[in-house]
Amino acid sequence: MNLVSLKDVLEPAEKGGYAVGAFNANNMEIVQAIIESAAEERSPVILQASQGAINYAGLDFIVALVKTAAQGVNVPVVLHLDHGTDFNQVMRCIRHGFSSVMFDGSKLPLEENIARTLRVVEIARAVGVSVEGELGKIGGTEDEITVEEREALFTDPAEAERFVKETAVDALAIAIGTAHGPYKGEPRLDFPRLKRIKDLTAAFIVLHGASGVPDDAVRQAVSLGVNKINIDTDIRQAFTSGITDFMKKNPNNIDPRKMLSPAKAEMKKIIKEKMRLFGCSGKA
Ligand code: G3H
Ligand code: 13P
Ligand code: ZN
């Protein structure tokens, strides 16, 4: 199928009370693992590439890989830029065929975040590309800050209402207690805050840093209106353990295909589990 926008997969998700998984890819094996999982689960899917992924693989390679994989399946696929912070890079992604982009102005003062996000929305909307914005700071698990300091960075519901009204973003990434990377302890999500944001905004709600979040917390987040859920770390861990386990058993192997096949199988296992947890399995 041709690539579709966030709206195409998240509108049915909002109506149906499920979320769609957004999985990060950096190379061919990860792209294949994500798209094959979606086809086998009959699930809509969002495949996202970060600026780091684009620097690593090259923009043309990412687009060609994802378009080729999407053409071979019968489920909707979104190609989304993850955490775009550079206006020119966002424009290059749109020109090269991304069907959706994130402009992450979360480190900017509110007024500037609104102004820069709006500029991206105006251009993207004109060519049918969806936009995700971010408000509040999601951060990383490695950040040396206390729980209180992290809570001070959570998304303010009133600001979220204003941000969505003034930018008209399709989707909004919010900070409610998740973080990027592996968690040291168990993440605690601020569900009342999520509910207030959902009640006050018309945008689709995005949960970043969802690897390692307990299943019950994910289910509750979905029941309170999270529409898109981002997973990267779980895929990285599956990729690495697939290769490591294989090489432990076959220390003399020098064939990349032989170690990448179990890596792909491990990634598909976790991606499919997440699709079932998010409720998007069987929805395409
Ligand atoms: O949110 C960040 C994603 O996990 C992408 O990470 O910038 O290392 O590709 P990256
Ligand atoms: P994790 O790596 O913690 O799953 O976060 C992924 C993410 O939010 C990508 O934007
Ligand atoms: Zn993220």
Side-chain angles (χ1 to χ4, degrees), residues 24 48 82-83 179-181 207-211 230-234:
N24 285 69
Q48 51 192 18
D82 189 31
H83 292 287
H180 295 115
L207 190 67
H208 283 241
S211 296
N230 287 10
I231 297 282
D232 188 1
T233 298
D234 280 336

Side-chain angles (χ1 to χ4, degrees), residues 4-271:
V4 299
S5 77
L6 276 187
K7 206 172 164 212
D8 294 316
V9 297
L10 297 186
E11 224 160 52
E14 170 69 18
K15 286 196 187 107
Y18 60 91
V20 178
F23 303 97
N24 285 69
N26 301 279
N27 66 11
M28 183 187 77
E29 284 75 14
I30 308 178
V31 169
Q32 289 176 336
I34 295 167
I35 306 289
E36 286 174 24
S37 298
E40 288 162 25
E41 287 294 310
R42 302 242 32 93
S43 173
V45 71
I46 301 157
L47 187 149
Q48 51 192 18
S50 67
Q51 291 179 160
I54 292 168
N55 289 342
Y56 171 75
L59 187 50
D60 288 330
F61 276 93
I62 294 276
V63 174
L65 285 168
V66 177
K67 280 195 172 169
T68 304
Q71 287 297 345
V73 296
N74 220 354
V75 296
V77 177
V78 180
L79 173 55
H80 179 74
L81 170 66
D82 189 31
H83 292 287
T85 51
D86 171 6
F87 177 81
N88 292 334
Q89 167 82 291
V90 174
M91 292 301 116
R92 275 197 296 279
C93 287
I94 293 175
R95 190 155 64 85
H96 280 74
F98 277 55
S99 57
S100 185
V101 291
M102 174 178 189
F103 178 72
D104 177 358
S106 60
K107 292 193 174 70
L108 304 169
L110 179 63
E111 303 291 335
E112 207 175 329
N113 189 2
I114 289 175
R116 292 216 207 168
T117 305
L118 178 60
R119 191 164 164 230
V120 171
V121 170
E122 283 171 349
I123 296 165
R125 182 124 323 139
V127 291
V129 167
S130 48
V131 180
E132 173 181 339
E134 178 171 328
L135 192 62
K137 294 188 183 68
I138 293 157
T141 47
E142 72 287 354
D143 297 347
E144 294 296 328
I145 58 172
T146 63
V147 175
E148 292 74 28
E149 283 166 336
R150 189 180 294 289
E151 281 177 11
L153 305 176
F154 284 5
T155 308
D156 177 78
E159 284 187 3
E161 180 181 23
R162 179 175 164 211
F163 183 87
V164 170
K165 268 198 189 123
E166 294 187 16
T167 61
V169 282
D170 299 279
L172 178 69
I174 58 169
I176 55 164
T178 57
H180 295 115
Y183 290 96
K184 291 183 193 97
E186 195 169 290
R188 284 214 322 271
L189 274 59
D190 187 342
F191 293 114
R193 184 181 298 266
L194 164 59
K195 189 175 180 327
R196 282 203 303 283
I197 296 169
K198 186 75 182 177
D199 288 344
L200 290 171
T201 60
F204 301 115
I205 300 296
V206 186
L207 190 67
H208 283 241
S211 296
V213 174
D215 289 0
D216 281 346
V218 169
R219 280 189 207 99
Q220 196 169 347
V222 173
S223 76
L224 290 170
V226 163
N227 305 106
K228 170 179 181 272
I229 304 183
N230 287 10
I231 297 282
D232 188 1
T233 298
D234 280 336
I235 297 178
R236 294 178 180 201
Q237 286 171 336
F239 184 99
T240 306
S241 70
I243 292 178
T244 311
D245 293 349
F246 178 83
M247 288 308 293
K248 262 192 210 139
K249 288 183 201 132
N250 305 275
N252 297 323
N253 173 65
I254 58 152
D255 185 341
R257 296 168 297 186
K258 290 198 173 137
M259 58 176 123
L260 287 167
S261 298
K264 188 169 148 188
E266 286 301 308
M267 290 189 283
K268 285 179 74 171
K269 219 187 282 171
I270 187 77
I271 293 165

